[in-house]
Amino acid sequence: MGIYLNPDNEGFQRAVRSEIYVDKTGLIAYTNQCLNTEQQYLCVSRPRRFGKSVTLKMLAAYYSCGCDSRELFAGRDIEKSASYQKHRNQYDVIYLNMQQFYIEAKQRDITDYLEQEVLDELLEEYGGLINGRNTGLAGALRRIYARTKKKFIFLIDEWDCVMRENKNCEEQQKQYLDFLRNLLKDQDYAALAYMTGILPVKKYGEHSALNMFWEYSMTDQKALEQFTGFTEDEVKALCVRFGMDTAETASWYDGYRLAQFQHVYNPQSVVQAMCCRRFSNYWASTEIYDALKIYMEMDFDGLRADILRLLGGGRIQINTRSFRNDMYNFRVKDDVLTLLVHLGYLAYDCETQETFIPNREIIEEFENAMSTGGWQEVTRVLKASDKLLEDTLAGNARAVAQGLDRAHMEAASILAYNNENSLSCAVGLAYYSARKYYTVIRELPAGRGYVDIVFLPLPHAGKPVLVIELKYKKSAQAAIQQIKDRKYVQALEGYRGEILLVGIGYDKECVEKPHSCVIERAQKTAG
């Protein structure tokens, strides 16, 4: 057993001994299918806090011939797979944490330092087969394979740290990519390469050194969707076990959408909430909002307006294909928004190609990022949103209209009204603080049409439902009448309690008081 060559299973033991461990060993059945095939190169990119390192420790415990993990995997999902016994603890594993090498290399070249460290362990194990430290790592592995026919599995954590830490040093990035290509591509000794990071791999300038990798990213996780974060069923089971409310948990940590799994939760935040028995923003404990702030303030036409639409609960269609998969070369605003998807600050719907803010935890990160800098107008709108909600719940339609006028004036320099969708985003922004108490649903199918916005109260919030209809260039009374004529309240099947019907109109010709509002109370009983 070594540090890099054939590590033991202690890392995975710590994971399964923890108070919460969600079984993701089914992933191994997939990597077993990829062994020694054209699909044996996997680059799996996810945000921080999404279990990338734990996954690598699991793979090391399973494949490494430096340990016996039979008991560790007993009763786990992978034990049901036909391939389980065949590959367990049968390979030489090389486990590399690139962040560690980057830090320890200091002024030395990271690849030179890495080669020296790994070669030292190879010499201990295979000293009679290789020619000492004058042999490069790839050359040493080729000699070992030629003489023993033993294949290696490469597990690489934080593969993209060079790209992230040296954002604008393209020469060093190219050298690093060339090293990885030489180490892995078309090498007979490689049975599997599984890399994790935040960024996908490709498109660094014209350099396509690692084009043999299959990418599994937050824009398309392919067959690895259920292993990306916690699924809805996994979180429901944890909520039952720890006595936590499922709707509140979803409000805080759900929202990442994949093609098959429409509800993917931030796993580390869920674990912390369950263990602490308290909902909070656990993202902030490991992330610094300045990182988000830098990208929010980039000077791309329309980017600030798009961020306001996202804060208002809207969605923005983006082109993720132009992103060059680094943190330096941005050509259009879509590149910035795509990076925020990979960082976990935005979620992405691959079917509609739209991005959005996933949950309350991330909303707070945006709020933190706007607390300083050039977002003072927006900050004032957010701070006024408590009063707007209070006036709405009190049925004070005049005060609501006045509050919307003020919010519009504050944000008008960034977010212009030009259609009903823009009005919807602006109203969503004005009701920003309502997310503390409500789940916000846009375009809810109801009766004979779609309700513009429905605020469904979270458990124990003690609030009524808000059914909001918006009318651009029409009156608030017309909005209320549409709610009634099209029987929108019927969409709330099974709900018992008070409902507020809120009609909001906007008439840009009425300069002093462009917004109008009508609020009516209704009652619905479960039928």
Side-chain angles (χ1 to χ4, degrees):
M1 290 182 293
I3 300 171
Y4 314 110
L5 176 64
N6 295 329
D8 61 23
N9 56 23
E10 179 60 30
F12 189 51
Q13 283 187 46
R14 284 194 297 272
V16 300
R17 285 198 300 257
S18 300
E19 184 176 6
I20 294 176
Y21 171 71
V22 174
D23 189 353
K24 296 290 186 178
T25 60
L27 168 67
I28 299 171
Y30 183 75
T31 57
N32 283 345
Q33 292 177 20
C34 297
L35 285 166
N36 299 304
T37 70
E38 293 296 326
Q39 292 78 46
Q40 70 184 44
Y41 301 100
L42 295 82
C43 180
V44 183
S45 58
R46 297 171 191 160
R48 294 194 185 281
R49 307 162 52 81
F50 270 70
K52 299 185 295 293
S53 296
V54 172
T55 298
L56 285 179
K57 291 171 184 175
M58 175 188 74
L59 293 174
Y62 175 76
Y63 287 115
S64 174
C65 61
C67 56
D68 182 353
S69 299
R70 187 178 325 174
E71 293 185 8
L72 193 56
F73 287 98
R76 309 285 178 199
D77 283 349
I78 183 56
E79 198 177 31
K80 305 169 189 173
S81 171
S83 65
Y84 169 64
Q85 296 287 357
K86 179 179 179 181
H87 300 292
R88 193 193 68 236
N89 303 128
Q90 296 299 309
Y91 291 87
D92 277 332
V93 169
I94 294 180
Y95 189 115
L96 307 174
N97 184 327
M98 292 303 185
Q99 187 74 47
Q100 172 192 325
F101 286 116
Y102 182 85
I103 293 171
E104 293 181 356
K106 302 186 187 311
Q107 301 303 317
R108 290 177 287 176
D109 182 83
I110 181 176
T111 56
D112 288 344
Y113 176 63
L114 184 157
E115 285 200 291
Q116 290 175 12
E117 289 287 293
V118 179
L119 276 170
D120 281 346
E121 292 197 1
L122 283 173
L123 282 167
E124 291 179 15
E125 186 71 21
Y126 294 104
L129 302 178
I130 54 181
N131 299 324
R133 295 181 64 148
N134 292 327
T135 302
L137 180 55
L141 292 171
R142 281 193 294 269
R143 286 183 174 87
I144 293 169
Y145 177 72
R147 290 162 173 78
T148 67
K149 297 303 178 183
K150 293 183 68 173
K151 290 195 173 237
F152 290 78
I153 286 179
F154 295 85
L155 304 177
I156 303 176
D157 202 3
E158 303 275 7
W159 88 268
D160 57 343
C161 75
V162 173
M163 315 303 167
R164 292 185 281 107
E165 300 292 344
N166 294 325
K167 298 182 181 67
N168 57 354
C169 187
E170 293 194 2
E171 184 57 36
Q172 187 179 52
Q173 293 178 18
K174 182 179 181 299
Q175 180 183 350
Y176 172 64
L177 291 172
D178 282 339
F179 167 78
L180 290 178
R181 175 177 60 182
N182 184 56
L183 178 66
L184 299 172
K185 188 173 183 178
D186 298 327
Q187 298 286 9
D188 291 336
Y189 56 71
L192 181 79
Y194 188 106
M195 301 198 313
T196 68
I198 295 173
L199 298 174
V201 52
K202 64 180 180 183
K203 300 181 186 173
Y204 289 102
E206 300 302 319
H207 204 62
S208 57
L210 304 181
N211 58 3
M212 70 284 198
F213 273 90
W214 286 57
E215 296 177 16
Y216 304 78
S217 75
M218 293 305 286
T219 59
D220 186 2
Q221 283 287 333
K222 302 182 177 70
L224 301 187
E225 286 192 5
Q226 71 183 99
F227 310 112
T228 300
F230 285 173
T231 65
E232 188 173 27
D233 289 342
E234 289 165 346
V235 172
K236 285 180 178 178
L238 288 174
C239 288
V240 171
R241 174 181 164 190
F242 288 91
M244 301 287 279
D245 186 84
T246 55
E248 190 79 8
T249 305
S251 174
W252 274 97
Y253 312 118
D254 186 15
Y256 297 95
R257 289 183 62 126
L258 301 174
Q260 180 180 355
F261 288 81
Q262 299 286 293
H263 297 274
V264 175
Y265 291 68
N266 179 326
Q268 188 169 336
S269 293
V270 169
V271 167
Q272 289 185 261
M274 298 295 147
C275 290
C276 297
R277 307 314 199 267
R278 184 169 65 89
F279 297 111
S280 184
N281 182 354
Y282 296 104
W283 185 288
S285 64
T286 58
E287 297 287 338
I288 301 174
Y289 72 82
D290 281 347
L292 174 59
K293 178 182 173 184
I294 290 170
Y295 299 110
M296 287 175 60
E297 295 182 350
M298 286 191 165
D299 187 21
F300 287 102
D301 183 45
L303 178 60
R304 288 168 67 84
D306 279 354
I307 289 173
L308 285 198
R309 292 188 180 96
L310 294 169
L311 283 168
R315 289 176 165 227
I316 302 295
Q317 194 164 60
I318 62 171
N319 174 17
T320 62
R321 294 182 296 278
S322 68
F323 181 53
R324 298 171 69 89
N325 292 355
D326 65 17
M327 304 178 80
Y328 180 71
N329 292 297
F330 302 110
R331 292 174 291 184
V332 294
K333 67 178 180 178
D334 282 4
D335 294 343
V336 180
L337 295 172
T338 302
L339 174 61
L340 294 181
V341 170
H342 291 300
L343 293 175
Y345 289 111
L346 294 177
Y348 179 72
D349 186 332
C350 63
E351 292 184 1
T352 63
Q353 298 182 343
E354 292 174 323
T355 189
F356 52 96
I357 299 176
N359 52 50
R360 181 174 169 185
E361 185 176 46
I362 300 301
I363 286 173
E364 288 193 1
E365 288 303 290
F366 275 89
E367 185 177 357
N368 291 338
M370 289 189 300
S371 61
T372 59
W375 298 84
Q376 292 89 343
E377 310 96 330
V378 180
T379 300
R380 286 193 288 269
V381 173
L382 302 187
K383 288 181 178 178
S385 62
D386 280 323
K387 180 64 165 58
L388 185 67
L389 179 61
E390 180 184 322
D391 288 334
T392 304
L393 297 178
N396 190 339
R398 180 179 179 182
V400 170
Q402 292 173 343
L404 291 172
D405 287 343
R406 287 191 295 270
H408 181 210
M409 290 174 58
E410 293 283 7
S413 61
I414 303 175
L415 183 63
Y417 283 13
N418 49 34
N419 53 40
E420 202 161 286
N421 183 54
S422 297
L423 175 60
S424 176
C425 291
V427 170
L429 184 67
Y431 279 102
Y432 173 83
S433 66
R435 291 175 176 84
K436 300 175 187 176
Y437 314 105
Y438 289 95
T439 296
V440 182
I441 303 175
R442 291 175 174 274
E443 298 295 323
L444 178 69
R448 299 193 302 273
Y450 294 84
V451 188
D452 284 333
I453 310 175
V454 174
F455 287 9
L456 291 178
L458 293 170
H460 317 302
K463 307 288 185 185
V465 171
L466 304 183
V467 176
I468 301 177
E469 183 65 23
L470 309 172
K471 284 298 177 187
Y472 182 69
K473 295 184 179 180
K474 292 183 181 179
S475 69
Q477 190 59 53
I480 283 286
Q481 195 59 46
Q482 181 169 313
I483 293 175
K484 296 175 180 177
D485 292 345
R486 298 191 179 180
K487 305 183 186 304
Y488 285 165
V489 173
Q490 289 183 1
L492 304 173
E493 183 179 355
Y495 174 77
R496 179 185 290 117
E498 187 178 33
I499 300 170
L500 291 188
L501 312 182
V502 182
I504 295 173
Y506 173 74
D507 183 359
K508 66 179 180 179
E509 302 300 328
C510 185
V511 178
E512 292 185 2
K513 297 180 179 180
H515 291 88
S516 59
C517 179
V518 175
I519 300 174
E520 295 185 6
R521 297 183 183 275
Q523 198 78 18
K524 189 174 189 298
T525 58

